[in-house]
Amino acid sequence: MTLRKDAFFEKMDALGKAVSFDHVRLKTGYSEVMPDDVSLHTRLSRNIPLRSPIVSAAMDTVTEYRLAIEIAKWGGIGFIHRNLPPEEQAFQVAQVKLHLNGRIDRPRTVKTTDTIERVLAYIREKKFAFDTFPVLDGDEKLAGMLTKTDFEFCTDPSLVVSEVMSRELVTARCETTIDEAYNLMRRSKKKVLPLIDDNGRLCGMYVWQDVLRIKTGSGLPHNVDKNGNLRVGAAIGVGDKALERVELLARKKIDAVCIDTAHGDSRSVHETLREIKRHYPDLDVVVGNVSEGASARRLVDAGADAIKIGQGPGSICTTRVIAGIGCPQVTAIYQCEKAIRGSGVPLIADGGIRHSGDIPIAIGAGADSVMLGNLLAGTKEAPGEITTYRGMRYKSYRGMGSIGALQSNLSNDRYGQKEPQPKDRIVPEGVEGMVPYKDEIREVLIQLLGGLRKGMGYVGAATIKELKEKADFCSPVDMQESHPHDVIITKEPPNYRITPKEEN
Ligand code: XMP
C-alpha cells in the first residue's frame, strides 16, 4: 500500500536527509472532523487495545504503580520499570491489576456451618469494608450468598449461615467477561454475580458497584482487560533472568511485557523473544528499541507483538553522542512502519516527545502509540520526592543508562553489559537530572490528548488509523516561526514551555 507521506520521505531520502520532530509539520487538509469527536482508540500490541495512545516509559523516575494506574484510567498503559527486584515489580503490577476491583478472582467466603456471630467477628477482625460473602458447603461448592440484607434481617446471631443465606442465585461461568457480567446483572437486577465451574465450585465474583463504576463510572476512558482490571505492562531484560521475571509477572496477569533494551535487534533479544513466545504464547511481547526498517522486519519475523522505535531521541539519552549511532526519530518511525506495513504489528514511538504536537507527528509518521518519559516525570504520581531549587519545585528524572540507574545492577543488560560493573568501569548512556514539578498527571494528559485531537482535526482524521493513513508532511520548518516569537510571554499556558526555568 502506498501512502501520501511516502513521497515526502522518499524525497528526503534522496537528499540524504533524516528528520526529527523539530524538522517537520503535518499538512492540513479539508476536514469535517471536530477534535472533540475523534476516536483515540488504538493498539499497544497485536492483542492489547488502548483507548488513548499514551504509554509511560519503563523508567525508575516515571512508572511505578501509582502512575500506571492513572495512565490506564486515561485509556493508555504504563510499563513498570525493572530497576527493582522481580518480586517487587510483580507486586507493583498486582497493585494496578487490583485497583479497580473488576473481577474478584478469590472472593472471601464463609461456610454454611459458620454462625452469624462468627462471621460478624471475622468481618471486625479483618476490618472488611464489605458484607457480601459467597457461602461454601462441605464439598467446597457454592451453596448460597450471605448479603447485607441477610445480616439486616437476622435477629438471632447464633443461627448458622445456611439458615440465613440467600439461595436464589444467578451465577455465570468462570470465563464471564466484564461486559457479559454487566448485561447479566442488569437483566437479573442482582448485585453480586458468583462465577462457578462445571462442578459448582466458586472461581470468581463480580460486584455490581465495581462493574458499574468501570463500565460507566467516572467518564474516563478506562483501559481495562476482559475482567475489568486496569491494564499494565512491565519491562524485562534478556536471558534466564527475564524468563524468571515473566513467570512472576504472568501470575499477576500482566497484559504485556517489554524486552526493554537499547538495541532490540540483537541476538540475546531475539532469543529471549522466542523463548517467551514458546512458554507463554498468549502473552503479548513488546520488543525494543530499534530505529531501522530492517531491524523492525527481523523482529516481526521473530514473533514480536509490538516494536518500540527510538535509539537516542530521549531527553536524558546520550547514546547518540557516546556511541555515535541512531537515526532521527521521525524518519526512524517512518522507515520501520514502511518496512513492516501490512504485518499487523503495532509500533510505539519511544522518546523525544516534547510538545503535544509531536504526538500527531509520531502517529502520522507511522506509530500506533507514543511512549513518554520526560513529559510524565515530575508529576505527582511519578516516583520520587519533590525538591526545591532556587524557589522552584522539581522532581528527579534520570536515564536508565545513567550512572545512578546502572549502579542498581538490575538493568545493566539494557545497555549490552553482561555483568554489573564497578562504578569506575560504567560507561553511561544517559544523564541524571530534574524536571519541574507538574502537579497531577491528569493536567498533563488533558493537554497532550487535547493537542493530539486538535492535530487530528486539522488533518481531517477521525481515528488514529486515519491519521496514520492520511498524514503528509512538510519540511523543513522555520522553528522560529513555529514557536511564539517577537513577544515576551507574560502568562505561560499549561501546554507550552520551551525549556525548564531555572529561576524565578
Ligand atoms: P523522553 O524523551 O520521553 O524519552 O524523556 C524517554 C525514553 O528514553 C529512553 N531512555 C534512555 N535512552 N539512555 C538512552 O539512550 C538512557 O539512559 C535512557 N533512559 C531512558 C527510553 O526508551 C525511554 O522510554
Side-chain angles (χ1 to χ4, degrees):
M1 183 171 49
T2 306
L3 298 177
R4 280 183 204 167
K5 61 191 162 209
D6 290 340
F8 169 82
F9 284 101
E10 277 159 23
K11 227 179 282 169
M12 282 290 149
D13 200 32
L15 293 170
K17 288 195 171 168
V19 292
S20 200
F21 295 109
D22 279 352
H23 304 131
V24 290
R25 288 294 172 254
L26 290 163
K27 287 186 179 176
T28 58
Y30 170 73
S31 179
E32 293 183 359
V33 176
M34 299 304 288
D36 285 346
D37 298 335
V38 303
S39 160
L40 298 182
H41 288 218
T42 181
R43 282 184 310 149
L44 170 81
S45 54
R46 275 190 192 275
N47 304 298
I48 305 295
L50 298 176
R51 300 182 76 184
S52 70
I54 306 291
V55 182
S56 69
M59 299 172 71
D60 59 7
T61 45
V62 180
T63 311
E64 289 189 349
Y65 74 88
R66 284 190 188 85
L67 191 132
I69 287 171
E70 288 308 307
I71 290 281
K73 281 186 178 171
W74 281 80
I77 194 166
F79 274 81
I80 306 288
H81 69 89
R82 63 179 171 107
N83 233 7
L84 72 195
E87 297 74 20
E88 171 64 14
Q89 190 187 32
F91 169 79
Q92 297 258 343
V93 166
Q95 296 300 103
V96 183
K97 293 305 289 177
L98 297 176
H99 181 73
L100 280 190
N101 266 349
R103 173 198 162 116
I104 302 166
D105 276 337
R106 271 187 241 126
R108 302 290 183 149
T109 56
V110 294
K111 295 200 182 87
T112 42
T113 48
D114 288 337
T115 61
I116 295 298
E117 218 163 18
R118 188 167 167 182
V119 175
L120 289 170
Y122 178 52
I123 294 174
R124 275 196 305 274
E125 183 206 335
K126 297 283 180 189
K127 298 195 174 76
F128 290 143
F130 52 85
D131 42 20
T132 301
F133 299 87
V135 184
L136 304 186
D137 65 15
D139 296 328
E140 298 284 301
K141 290 185 179 171
L142 182 70
M145 290 294 300
L146 193 59
T147 67
K148 189 175 176 193
T149 318
D150 298 323
F151 283 113
E152 277 170 6
F153 284 92
C154 173
T155 45
D156 180 0
S158 67
L159 290 174
V160 291
V161 169
S162 61
E163 295 172 283
V164 176
M165 69 186 188
S166 308
R167 290 171 189 272
E168 281 171 32
L169 305 182
V170 171
T171 60
R173 63 204 159 75
C174 298
E175 307 75 38
T176 304
T177 64
I178 187 143
D179 290 341
E180 291 166 343
Y182 177 73
N183 292 331
L184 188 54
M185 292 169 99
R186 256 182 56 165
R187 271 202 314 273
S188 61
K189 297 189 185 151
K190 289 284 181 192
K191 287 190 169 176
V192 282
L193 180 65
L195 308 177
I196 51 171
D197 64 16
D198 292 343
N199 300 317
R201 295 217 165 80
L202 188 72
C203 51
M205 185 169 87
Y206 283 105
V207 175
W208 177 242
Q209 260 178 342
D210 297 334
V211 172
L212 190 65
R213 197 179 58 225
I214 292 163
K215 287 287 296 172
T216 57
S218 59
L220 289 181
H222 288 167
N223 182 18
V224 293
D225 62 22
K226 64 181 181 4
N227 296 327
N229 298 122
L230 290 174
R231 290 193 189 275
V232 62
I236 55 167
V238 293
D240 291 345
K241 281 190 193 156
L243 283 157
E244 280 163 29
R245 265 185 205 261
V246 176
E247 194 186 329
L248 287 177
L249 295 167
R251 272 193 230 150
K252 302 295 178 194
K253 305 222 165 103
I254 189 91
D255 293 275
V257 294
C258 174
I259 305 179
D260 177 45
T261 72
H263 190 24
D265 190 17
S266 52
R267 193 170 79 182
S268 55
V269 174
H270 283 245
E271 285 172 358
T272 305
L273 169 61
R274 288 205 186 88
E275 274 303 286
I276 297 173
K277 293 305 289 183
R278 199 159 68 82
H279 291 287
Y280 303 88
D282 297 331
L283 177 64
D284 269 24
V285 185
V286 178
V287 189
N289 279 18
V290 296
S291 57
E292 292 295 328
S295 296
R297 185 72 250 174
R298 275 191 285 277
L299 288 178
V300 167
D301 294 342
D305 296 300
I307 298 172
K308 207 145 62 74
I309 315 299
Q311 289 180 302
S315 60
I316 31 51
C317 303
T318 54
T319 295
R320 290 202 189 151
V321 283
I322 297 304
I325 58 91
C327 174
Q329 182 70 344
V330 175
T331 293
I333 298 166
Y334 171 75
Q335 296 293 356
C336 291
E337 188 273 332
K338 179 122 187 287
I340 67 161
R341 204 173 280 171
S343 67
V345 175
L347 296 180
I348 304 160
D350 177 16
I353 291 189
R354 291 188 294 154
H355 303 285
S356 59
D358 296 341
I359 301 175
I361 289 176
I363 295 171
D368 297 83
S369 64
V370 294
M371 180 172 262
L372 307 176
N374 189 310
L375 286 178
L376 305 179
T379 54
K380 186 174 149 204
E381 293 82 358
E385 301 300 316
I386 301 172
T387 53
T388 305
Y389 174 66
R390 296 188 188 173
M392 295 272 300
R393 291 190 298 168
Y394 295 87
K395 269 187 153 184
S396 69
Y397 180 47
R398 68 181 186 184
M400 294 303 283
S402 64
I403 293 200
L406 287 177
Q407 271 182 303
S408 74
N409 289 344
L410 284 162
S411 54
N412 51 297
D413 60 354
R414 189 175 197 274
Y415 294 91
Q417 291 171 345
K418 282 191 194 144
E419 298 298 332
Q421 302 285 324
K423 190 177 173 192
D424 60 349
R425 300 293 300 274
I426 291 176
V427 181
E429 290 185 42
V431 297
E432 294 171 68
M434 56 188 189
V435 289
Y437 179 64
K438 300 180 187 117
D439 278 322
E440 292 187 3
I441 197 169
R442 71 180 287 279
E443 291 170 26
V444 176
L445 293 174
I446 286 171
Q447 295 305 328
L448 294 180
L449 296 175
L452 169 60
R453 286 175 178 279
K454 282 177 188 283
M456 292 170 74
Y458 280 114
V459 172
T463 63
I464 296 289
K465 186 167 173 279
E466 266 186 37
L467 178 58
K468 279 180 75 176
E469 287 169 3
K470 283 190 171 177
D472 198 0
F473 290 86
C474 48
S475 171
V477 290
D478 176 343
M479 281 315 288
Q480 200 177 343
E481 183 185 272
S482 289
H483 284 269
H485 51 90
D486 306 306
V487 63
I488 297 167
I489 297 176
T490 53
K491 205 161 183 215
E492 198 172 67
N495 56 355
Y496 184 78
R497 171 180 272 156
I498 300 180
T499 49
K501 284 185 203 142
E502 285 221 336
E503 49 199 306
N504 285 330

